[in-house]
Amino acid sequence: MDYEGEMKEAEEVIGVMKSLSSIVNTDEDFNTIQQVVQNLESLVNNCLLQQKQVQSCIQGLREKVKAKEQRILNAQKLNLKDEELEELRNNLAEARIEEEKARATARSMEEHLDGLAEQLQSVEAQKQTLAALASEETQLKNELSLFSTISGIIPDLAKANVFAGTLLDNEDVREFTLDYSDMSPYQQSKTIWDMIR
């Protein structure tokens, strides 16, 4: 079981997730984020499974230590030779060291698992936010399409501080730019209204 490798992989996934979540431009980006979330969930589930395996291993080591302790007690009762008793004590010490290493590994895995669970919750929250943004983006596209169909104006949203776009007037197609800085709100409305007619 390569816990450190899996934990590094989880950290890399989280790093990628953070870089992707800054802005979603396409459905493909959103699908990629969903796939990353699924991979992260799979990794967390894998860590849980491995944690159970470590717990099982610790339980086995505890039983092994108890069995060796019992052997030592039995050997002391039977008055075994010092060499045999010393060998049993050495075996017991080794078994206790193995058990402590397994416990340390289990503690480390639990800490990593807790961190992954928190990160998964954060990713899930981001996923919901992105889903809401995608829904809002679809709604805005529909509204823009409706506006263009009714008014015959296709706005150019890339230009800031001006109202620019393309005017579809029967068979005439022309581009326009209106600078609002020197126009009153009434003049702005009238100009746009005249374009729609």
Side-chain angles (χ1 to χ4, degrees):
M1 293 183 260
D2 183 22
Y3 303 117
E4 291 178 18
E6 288 177 357
M7 290 304 137
K8 284 183 182 179
E9 183 180 334
E11 290 169 4
E12 290 173 7
V13 169
I14 298 300
V16 169
M17 186 67 212
K18 286 180 181 175
S19 68
L20 287 176
S21 65
S22 62
I23 188 161
V24 175
N25 293 325
T26 64
D27 290 339
E28 183 179 317
D29 291 342
F30 186 72
N31 291 336
T32 301
I33 290 173
Q34 284 181 322
Q35 184 179 6
V36 169
V37 168
Q38 290 171 351
N39 290 344
L40 187 58
E41 287 172 342
S42 173
L43 183 62
V44 168
N45 289 336
N46 190 22
C47 285
L48 285 171
L49 178 65
Q50 290 181 356
Q51 182 184 21
K52 287 179 184 177
Q53 291 173 346
V54 168
Q55 291 296 338
S56 175
C57 180
I58 289 173
Q59 184 62 31
L61 289 172
R62 281 184 191 145
E63 291 171 7
K64 189 176 176 182
V65 166
K66 286 180 183 179
K68 290 188 181 207
E69 286 174 344
Q70 189 61 41
R71 273 195 213 154
I72 290 174
L73 289 175
N74 291 340
Q76 287 175 342
K77 288 179 184 176
L78 297 173
N79 293 324
L80 288 178
K81 296 179 183 176
D82 287 339
E83 297 95 28
E84 292 174 352
L85 194 56
E86 188 61 33
E87 184 180 338
L88 288 173
R89 285 185 180 142
N90 288 339
N91 288 342
L92 177 61
E94 289 172 9
R96 285 184 175 158
I97 290 171
E98 287 180 42
E99 180 184 13
E100 186 53 40
K101 285 181 183 178
R103 284 183 185 177
T105 301
R107 282 190 299 272
S108 174
M109 283 186 64
E110 286 175 11
E111 290 170 5
H112 286 298
L113 193 56
D114 290 343
L116 283 175
E118 288 175 12
Q119 290 172 351
L120 181 60
Q121 288 175 348
S122 172
V123 168
E124 286 293 336
Q126 289 177 354
K127 180 181 170 185
Q128 290 174 357
T129 302
L130 292 174
L133 289 174
S135 174
E136 185 178 328
E137 179 184 17
T138 302
Q139 181 180 355
L140 290 174
K141 284 180 181 178
N142 291 339
E143 288 176 7
L144 184 59
S145 175
L146 179 63
F147 171 77
S148 297
T149 301
I150 292 173
S151 68
I153 296 174
I154 301 172
D156 183 358
L157 302 176
K159 295 183 179 178
N161 301 326
V162 295
F163 181 54
T166 305
L167 179 62
L168 307 173
D169 187 17
N170 294 330
E171 295 177 16
D172 186 26
V173 176
R174 62 186 168 100
E175 292 189 13
F176 68 90
T177 301
L178 297 176
D179 186 4
Y180 290 147
S181 62
D182 59 345
M183 298 174 80
S184 70
Y186 173 77
Q187 289 173 324
Q188 295 170 12
S189 301
K190 181 160 179 16
T191 304
I192 293 172
W193 185 252
D194 290 341
M195 289 170 58
I196 293 174
R197 292 185 186 178

